[in-house]
Amino acid sequence: MWILPSQRGLAPSIAQRQYTALDRTDRLLRFLKPEGSDGEGLTVAQDVSMYVTTLSAAKAVEHVVGAGRGGYLYVISGAVRANDETMTRGDAAYLVDAGALRLAASETSDVLLIDTPLAR
């Protein structure tokens, strides 16, 4: 996945961090965050956050999408309900409205979530 930086001419950099399966089990793990924001995750020169979770069957997590933001949801494995929509392995959704996104697993599931400003 390629994320364009917010400005040109930045010096190249590389970073890596290893997380355990427990770090993402039944919670949204933010592994990528915008410059200047607090909390966990590698920093990127763009207003984007990326999350991953491994949800156990019958477990749920919630993420609030702010005003003017949206994103992308991808089900890597398993089956989840994203608000009122059933999604299974390989399904994806584009998020275009602010509000709460509730992910509830009907079986053990791996999910990727990207939170980014909507194009103007």
Side-chain angles (χ1 to χ4, degrees):
M1 186 172 298
W2 190 266
I3 297 171
L4 295 175
S6 58
Q7 58 184 326
R8 292 184 175 270
L10 296 173
S13 66
I14 189 167
Q16 65 181 19
R17 178 161 179 201
Q18 203 162 11
Y19 294 98
T20 67
L22 187 58
D23 291 331
R24 68 178 180 269
T25 299
D26 298 330
R27 68 183 279 269
L28 283 171
L29 169 68
R30 182 169 69 167
F31 64 92
L32 191 71
K33 67 179 183 175
E35 263 180 342
S37 64
D38 294 330
E40 63 191 343
L42 296 173
T43 300
V44 65
Q46 186 54 271
D47 185 12
V48 64
S49 291
M50 294 177 73
Y51 302 83
V52 67
T53 185
T54 298
L55 283 176
S56 304
K59 294 290 185 172
V61 293
E62 195 169 289
H63 177 73
V64 177
V65 179
R69 300 187 69 80
Y72 181 76
L73 177 65
Y74 180 72
V75 180
I76 300 166
S77 66
V80 298
R81 288 202 46 87
N83 290 349
D84 294 326
E85 298 295 324
T86 299
M87 300 177 69
T88 59
R89 184 178 143 229
D91 287 345
Y94 182 54
L95 309 174
V96 293
D97 291 322
L101 172 65
R102 186 172 195 279
L103 302 172
S106 56
E107 62 186 69
T108 300
S109 303
D110 293 302
V111 179
L112 175 70
L113 171 65
I114 302 167
D115 183 316
T116 185
L118 293 173
R120 297 179 186 140

